[in-house]
Amino acid sequence: MTTAPPTPVSLGLPAVRSGTEDVPRLPEGVTLKKKDFTAANEVRWCPGCGDYAVLAAVQGFLPELGLRKENIVCISGIGCSSRFPYYLDTYGLHSIHGRAPAIATGLATSRPDLSVWVVTGDGDALSIGGNHLIHAMRRNVNMTILLFNNRIYGLTKGQYSPTSEVGKVTKSTPSGSVDAPFNPVSLALGAEATFVARTLDSDRKHLTSVLRAAAEHRGTSLVEIYQNCPIFNDGAFDVLKDAEESRARLVHLVDGEQVRYGREDDRRVVVRTAGGGVEAVPEAEAAGRDVVVHDAGAEDPTQAFALSRLDGPSMAHVPVGVFRAVQRPTYDDLVREQVTSAREAAGGPATDADLDALIAGGDTWVVR
Amino acid sequence: MRLESPTPDAPEADAPPEAPARTGDGKPVERVHQVVIRFAGDSGDGMQLTGDRFTAETATLGNALATLPNFPAEIRAPQGTLPGVSSFQLHFADHVVLTPGDAPDVLVAMNPAALRANIADLPRGGVIIADADEFTRRSLQKVGYTASPLEDGSLESYQVHSLPLTSMTVEALKDSGLSRKDAERAKNMFALGMLSWLYDRPTQATEKFIQTKFAKKPAVRDANLTAFRAGWAFGETTEGFAVRYEVAPAEHPAGTYRNITGSTALAYGLAAGAHKAGLPLVLGSYPITPASDILHALSAMKHLGVTTLQAEDEIAGVGIALGASFGGSLGVTTTSGPGLALKAETIGLAVMLELPLVVVDVQRGGPSTGLPTKTEQADLLQAMYGRNGESPLPVVAASSPTDCFTAAVEAVRIAVTYRTPVILLSDGYLANGSEPWALPSVADLPGIDPAFATGPNGAGDDGTPAFRPYLRDPETLARPWAVPGTPGLEHRIGGLEKADVTGEISYEPENHERMTGLRQAKVDGVAVPPLEVDDPVAPDGSRARVLVLGWGSTFGPIAAAVRDARAEGLQVARTHLRHLNPFPPGLGDLLRSYDRVVLPEMNGGQLALLLRGRYLVDVQSHARVRGRPFTAGELLDVVRDAVRDLTEPATQVAAPATDTGFESPQEARR
């Protein structure tokens, strides 16, 4: 007999919900402080590491969420950034290389009452853990992934990473790397991520605003954080941190507004090209061009993807902020919904008799 | 085999035809004690379904039975070729059945390929029922027959029933409106009906099955019912079958029974174990043969609170399970050998985190992709040692399809009680094989206590109450299971070595050695019942000098061989291991108390290696890897040889302790 292909069933779409909606909140009037999220452990990153700034920003931001801290969990993989959970006084799990998104998927799906954070690096997330990262985003599991991108392997002492530029000379590439790098934002958009953002370790205010939006988002939020490794890749993002240079290069994406940036004497706008992409041109030359208005909530990720390609190895114009924030039912909500409705239809929690009925199946016979 | 989901709410308007009233046929009935029947055909012929249905009929009749499905890894190999042959063997009897049978008494061959692939297994005098319509020149050529074996006399030492099964099916369905091609597809139901008559099987369940399975396709449903009944009627009326056979029900202890495969029983055991522990079961799994049936079975248990996640790969499967365990669920992952290799690093993390985790490995032939649909026991050492560092974990093995239930409950008990990953070993034979099962009562299963941590269990340096994530239970050495959401117990764990008690990162040499020892001691201390030995004292008071030891799915053939050896007057003891790590207490003394320990394994002698290393006992290994279970007859020879060697010392040099039986090119030349 030929079997007809299975037909999909409608799953129903839940209304727009916050990422922390099911997480127990602190009682009215009770607030936590940064020190409540500061673990006793001595922080052991290298002096000057960008990770310190991110840690301070996260510790400072978490009280804003108003959540009970026992309901916050931080899961990491392996690498310098993955020591993060040890310094955050919440529940934490420092797992193995690349696997944090998979472990977090199991936790987030089985525990809707937790705010789940994944901390990872460019090697951890994009190289050994690439598969788990793309599938977490595809599924849209409710978690926030902080991807610390320093474009180098730090903990193994300085090999090129999947975001290192072509030609990079490192211990493992003495003649220069021939590997083409990933653009993490492009990758995330290609993997159907519902929330994708980029920020910098050195801009506390911007970092915090992105974290806030990421935590609020229900689904997988990917936040790429440009982060400096002072030992093995020092100054990788210096052009974005110098006050003068950053004004010329950072393209702050603001939802609903035209994409403009640049110094006062060199204002630039981002316009569409004939090929469907975008390019940055001096404001004076933009007459008659189709100026891009950022729309983070667009269902179609094409424009967000084009913006993610604006950047190049020269970092001449680097978009930062929220590239995409759209609502799509989360995997964990749907999985729980199927289990919950099946249980309710069966009359509530399973009893011994329910298990007995399962075990007996359909065809039984009795021997007396 | 693919089963569509049953749809009990079939449209009334398309009610199936009524079964005709059955009349006695007056043919003589011959009572036999046991029959081994093998259905063989092309992988598209529905042989697994036919075998399943005949088994279900046999089970409801009350016979003892065991089955051995055997199918190729290819879903549809080229039609009519030897690689495409799929078979299903069933052994049923009026007495205890321990194996699917060493050799068939009856071979149903739906085409020349099925005959050619299976004839060597059929003893002289055996019955062949062949579909004569399929023995065309082209089909014969495909498998290298120059003339039809049904006609050239080459089968004269067998009892051959050459029957036009296909054309009789088409004839029976000539009014059905189905095309000839579609009508031909029902020939397996014709054969099933005929054999159901021949062995006097009850047919109601099969009729109900057909009605349910094809409820949405009335034409197909009616064709299958008609073909099934036509097959029965043909048996009744043909002069080809002079007698019909009757196999009386076996003596079973009182109880309610069903027939069940190992993978289904294993899934039920996991669900029952989680239920007894009061934990939600969360399965993270990636499809792999022959383990996928457990994923399928658990996916259908949402109404019992079971959550299943089909992961992006094997590593994510176990990662998801471990993440769920961290959150206070029972994390389970199911796989087969290659998948276990991929999961190794995460299982090592679970060893370090000391969290409950059940890893099910349905072993298949290896290495690498190996024999995906065939059985083997060659993952034992991988289960024991296949991780970096000193990473002990408990290993439990199921010994029969129904024992998969008990073994799964035991794996859950150990994982939860001791906060440890547990590897549960099944194999391809147990997974797909089936046997009758006296249903257990879930209420009677012992409870399992997850004993979650709810508050501080120690004091900090300043004397204030504090949580010590690695402070152990003095009896079990288990650490506290403090799940996120528990106020005041916030803590960080990870793969880096933990300081004793506090769980802080520690690189201290003495601490690492202490923690390594504690992890080992915890596993060594898992409470395991002492081994039961089947060693009847002879009338003259003497006891056996030979012990036959086994583990896993060799239980059936070993027990059958020992039974047969005793029937010959040989004195032999027998015991079977469920716990491979830790071993049961007193195992070394037990092994040493026999003059010879014989250990059949479907691998290169892996348990023998462990036992020799652990107890310095010269276990005699009988090791084979042919992708199929041992036969009782083969093991009877092994037992006979072992007894004879002791009573009549060999004059030649002693045989090597491990008889792997693998034929090397050098041996082949001799």
Side-chain angles (χ1 to χ4, degrees):
Chain A
M1 310 291 153
T2 49
T3 312
T7 44
V9 295
S10 168
L11 296 168
L13 304 180
V16 173
R17 300 172 66 207
S18 151
T20 57
E21 193 173 307
D22 296 335
V23 184
R25 310 189 67 79
L26 291 164
E28 276 304 309
V30 178
T31 51
L32 295 175
K33 295 195 165 52
K34 182 182 175 190
K35 73 171 173 49
D36 294 309
F37 288 97
T38 306
N41 307 49
E42 181 195 357
V43 184
R44 291 192 200 159
W45 285 311
C46 305
C49 178
D51 292 358
Y52 284 98
V54 185
L55 176 65
V58 170
Q59 288 168 335
F61 155 74
L62 283 177
E64 270 189 34
L65 291 175
L67 305 176
R68 303 185 68 105
K69 77 170 184 174
E70 64 268 22
N71 290 84
I72 297 174
V73 183
C74 183
I75 301 182
S76 65
I78 292 293
C80 294
S81 61
S82 289
R83 298 298 177 94
F84 204 92
Y86 289 116
Y87 310 134
L88 202 61
D89 194 8
T90 63
Y91 280 90
L93 177 47
H94 176 215
S95 75
I96 46 176
H97 208 13
R99 316 304 170 198
I103 293 169
T105 294
L107 182 66
T109 306
S110 58
R111 292 290 303 273
D113 60 329
L114 301 179
S115 173
V116 178
W117 295 69
V118 168
V119 173
T120 181
D122 42 317
D124 192 54
L126 300 170
S127 199
I128 193 168
N131 200 32
H132 308 306
L133 182 77
I134 58 172
H135 287 278
M137 294 187 292
R138 164 179 75 84
R139 292 191 181 105
N140 200 27
V141 183
N142 191 24
M143 61 169 93
T144 300
I145 301 175
L146 306 183
L147 197 171
F148 292 33
N149 182 5
N150 56 17
R151 300 189 171 172
I152 199 76
Y153 280 94
L155 200 61
T156 51
K157 301 194 174 181
Q159 300 82 11
Y160 77 102
S161 91
T163 53
S164 295
E165 57 277 21
V166 172
K168 191 167 194 72
V169 174
T170 70
K171 281 180 187 155
S172 59
T173 49
S175 311
S177 163
V178 297
D179 267 13
F182 266 137
N183 175 330
V185 170
S186 299
L187 178 78
L189 290 166
E192 311 288 346
T194 54
F195 183 101
V196 186
R198 178 187 288 143
T199 184
L200 291 93
D201 58 359
S202 53
D203 186 345
R204 172 86 169 259
K205 202 173 145 204
H206 189 263
L207 175 58
T208 303
S209 74
V210 167
L211 290 177
R212 193 177 293 126
E216 180 63 23
H217 178 76
R218 193 168 192 86
T220 303
S221 304
L222 181 92
V223 180
E224 182 192 17
I225 304 170
Y226 282 165
Q227 172 253 327
N228 190 47
C229 171
I231 307 296
F232 296 108
N233 201 20
D234 195 20
F237 304 104
D238 272 4
V239 291
L240 304 180
K241 295 180 179 182
D242 174 84
E244 191 71 359
E245 287 286 334
S246 71
R247 264 198 296 281
R249 296 167 185 260
L250 283 183
V251 184
H252 283 275
L253 298 175
V254 181
D255 199 26
E257 292 185 10
Q258 287 190 341
V259 182
R260 301 174 172 271
Y261 69 104
R263 286 190 298 255
E264 289 305 321
D265 59 343
D266 183 25
R267 295 292 292 173
R268 290 170 171 265
V269 290
V270 174
V271 296
R272 287 200 173 73
T273 64
V278 298
E279 66 177 345
V281 297
E283 217 164 29
E285 298 168 19
R289 300 290 300 267
D290 185 4
V291 179
V292 171
V293 176
H294 184 46
D295 182 5
E299 275 302 312
D300 182 348
T302 306
Q303 181 175 295
F305 186 82
L307 284 169
S308 79
R309 311 306 293 171
L310 193 62
D311 185 18
S314 63
M315 289 191 278
H317 19 242
V318 179
V320 293
V322 178
F323 285 75
R324 185 170 204 235
V326 297
Q327 288 293 327
R328 176 153 62 84
T330 70
Y331 173 80
D332 50 308
D333 279 335
L334 293 171
V335 167
R336 286 188 299 266
E337 167 59 25
Q338 286 190 338
V339 172
T340 305
S341 52
R343 281 182 71 156
E344 280 168 5
T351 62
D352 286 356
D354 293 332
L355 267 291
D356 284 337
L358 169 82
I359 287 168
D363 292 333
T364 58
W365 67 96
V366 176
V367 175
R368 294 183 204 286
Chain B
M1 181 191 67
R2 260 178 88 167
L3 283 185
E4 288 152 37
S5 54
T7 43
D9 52 345
E12 289 292 318
D14 286 316
E18 297 227 338
R22 191 167 289 143
T23 53
D25 53 69
K27 282 191 187 170
V29 173
E30 187 179 323
R31 176 162 283 214
V32 291
H33 295 295
Q34 62 177 351
V35 176
V36 178
I37 185 164
R38 184 182 295 179
F39 298 92
D42 200 62
S43 9
D45 281 347
M47 288 299 99
Q48 301 304 321
L49 175 64
T50 308
D52 270 349
R53 289 319 313 163
F54 195 83
T55 301
E57 295 172 0
T58 298
T60 49
L61 186 78
N63 289 140
L65 67 89
T67 67
L68 176 64
N70 188 1
F71 44 87
E74 294 76 17
I75 303 301
R76 295 280 188 276
Q79 206 176 3
T81 61
L82 289 171
V85 173
S86 169
S87 71
F88 186 104
Q89 184 163 309
L90 165 68
H91 179 191
F92 59 103
D94 62 2
H95 55 269
V96 173
V97 160
L98 292 160
T99 72
D102 287 7
D105 304 308
V106 180
L107 171 64
V108 179
M110 300 301 282
N111 65 9
L115 181 70
R116 179 133 226 178
N118 290 285
I119 188 70
D121 294 339
L122 191 68
R124 303 280 153 184
V127 174
I128 296 169
I129 297 173
D131 183 359
D133 292 329
E134 294 295 321
F135 283 67
T136 60
R137 223 174 80 182
R138 187 150 175 275
S139 301
L140 291 164
Q141 275 171 350
K142 265 190 199 172
V143 293
Y145 280 126
T146 49
S148 172
L150 301 179
E151 291 158 9
D152 68 1
S154 61
L155 300 177
E156 63 184 8
S157 54
Y158 303 94
Q159 305 172 53
V160 180
H161 297 274
S162 172
L163 305 170
L165 298 179
T166 303
S167 49
M168 286 193 287
T169 306
V170 171
E171 174 65 18
L173 297 176
K174 65 176 188 289
D175 298 329
S176 67
L178 292 181
S179 70
R180 185 185 166 87
K181 199 170 162 230
D182 282 345
E184 281 181 4
R185 286 173 187 274
K187 68 186 174 192
N188 64 330
M189 286 296 129
F190 186 95
L192 178 63
M194 185 177 75
L195 285 149
S196 299
W197 173 84
L198 191 59
Y199 292 100
D200 197 19
R201 306 285 98 179
T203 58
Q204 298 88 332
T206 292
E207 296 227 346
K208 194 174 136 202
F209 171 85
I210 293 172
Q211 285 171 12
T212 309
K213 179 172 160 69
F214 301 114
K216 285 188 176 165
K217 299 173 186 163
V220 174
R221 173 197 65 197
D222 294 349
N224 278 288
L225 282 173
T226 305
F228 180 62
R229 290 169 191 161
W232 175 285
F234 172 75
E236 212 168 23
T237 51
T238 180
E239 291 178 6
F241 298 125
V243 292
R244 69 193 298 204
Y245 300 93
E246 185 178 272
V247 180
E251 292 267 324
H252 282 112
T256 302
Y257 285 77
R258 67 168 287 179
N259 194 57
I260 194 162
T261 66
S263 281
T264 310
L266 198 152
Y268 292 172
L270 292 171
H275 173 76
K276 295 306 284 192
L279 298 174
L281 193 165
V282 177
L283 174 76
S285 182
Y286 187 75
I288 184 169
T289 303
S292 300
D293 285 339
I294 305 171
L295 164 65
H296 304 162
L298 288 169
S299 299
M301 292 186 205
K302 292 182 174 57
H303 61 295
L304 300 173
V306 172
T307 300
T308 55
L309 287 74
Q310 183 173 310
E312 59 271 24
D313 60 26
E314 293 282 0
I315 300 170
V318 67
I320 284 166
L322 186 58
S325 285
F326 181 59
S329 296
L330 176 69
V332 178
T333 190
T334 50
T335 190
S336 184
L340 186 63
L342 285 164
K343 294 180 196 295
E345 190 193 12
T346 309
I347 298 171
L349 175 64
V351 168
M352 204 62 153
L353 298 182
E354 302 194 41
L355 284 171
L357 176 72
V358 177
V359 179
V360 179
D361 175 17
V362 185
Q363 302 165 92
R364 66 190 211 187
S368 189
T369 310
L371 304 174
T373 60
K374 311 297 179 192
T375 196
E376 204 163 279
Q377 295 181 297
D379 292 348
L380 175 59
L381 292 181
Q382 182 180 212
M384 288 289 290
Y385 300 120
R387 291 164 296 283
N388 63 308
E390 294 292 342
S391 49
L393 50 72
V395 179
V396 175
S399 62
S400 74
T402 58
D403 187 58
C404 285
F405 178 86
T406 314
V409 175
E410 175 69 351
V412 174
R413 176 187 74 85
I414 295 172
V416 172
T417 307
Y418 295 89
R419 280 62 157 128
T420 177
V422 175
I423 292 183
L424 169 59
L425 294 174
S426 175
D427 65 31
Y429 165 57
L430 296 179
N432 296 315
S434 68
E435 61 185 359
W437 186 33
L439 299 180
S441 159
V442 171
D444 294 345
L445 297 174
I448 300 169
D449 183 6
F452 290 121
T454 53
N457 59 352
D461 296 338
D462 57 359
T464 56
F467 179 55
R468 301 296 188 211
Y470 279 75
L471 181 66
R472 293 167 192 281
D473 179 291
E475 194 178 321
T476 61
L477 297 182
R479 75 174 192 90
W481 191 5
V483 304
T486 314
L489 304 191
E490 294 85 357
H491 64 286
R492 276 65 59 190
I493 56 177
L496 286 168
E497 181 61 287
K498 303 280 162 293
D500 193 11
V501 180
T502 67
E504 302 290 340
I505 300 171
S506 170
Y507 301 113
E508 287 292 318
E510 296 305 323
N511 178 74
H512 176 54
E513 188 152 279
R514 184 162 64 251
M515 292 300 279
T516 303
L518 280 167
R519 287 186 287 263
Q520 183 69 52
K522 182 175 82 166
V523 173
D524 289 345
V526 168
V528 168
L531 211 48
E532 286 177 20
V533 184
D534 171 20
D535 187 5
V537 180
D540 64 0
S542 65
R543 51 166 301 195
R545 296 173 65 196
V546 171
L547 172 71
V548 186
L549 172 71
W551 70 276
S553 75
T554 55
F555 173 82
I558 290 175
V562 167
R563 179 189 63 191
D564 297 348
R566 287 174 184 162
E568 292 179 0
L570 302 178
Q571 207 167 354
V572 188
R574 184 189 65 76
T575 191
H576 209 77
L577 290 173
R578 173 193 300 293
H579 296 274
L580 282 314
N581 198 31
F583 287 129
L587 179 60
D589 290 340
L590 175 78
L591 299 180
R592 281 187 283 267
S593 72
Y594 288 89
D595 293 329
R596 176 153 300 174
V597 178
V598 179
L599 172 51
E601 290 183 86
M602 295 187 292
N603 57 38
Q606 298 190 4
L607 179 60
L609 178 73
L610 292 176
L611 294 174
R612 286 195 199 114
R614 176 78 182 268
Y615 299 116
L616 293 174
V617 171
D618 187 17
V619 173
Q620 182 191 320
S621 178
H622 177 74
R624 291 286 187 277
V625 283
R626 292 163 304 188
R628 55 174 194 250
F630 288 113
T631 63
E634 169 189 9
L635 295 186
L636 176 59
D637 287 342
V638 172
V639 173
R640 283 191 194 123
D641 288 350
V643 174
R644 194 184 305 125
D645 279 0
L646 279 180
T647 49
E648 307 159 22
T651 48
Q652 81 237 40
V653 185
T658 297
D659 172 14
T660 64
F662 309 153
E663 192 174 83
S664 67
Q666 287 80 1
E667 284 168 349
R669 277 199 292 276
R670 272 182 217 132

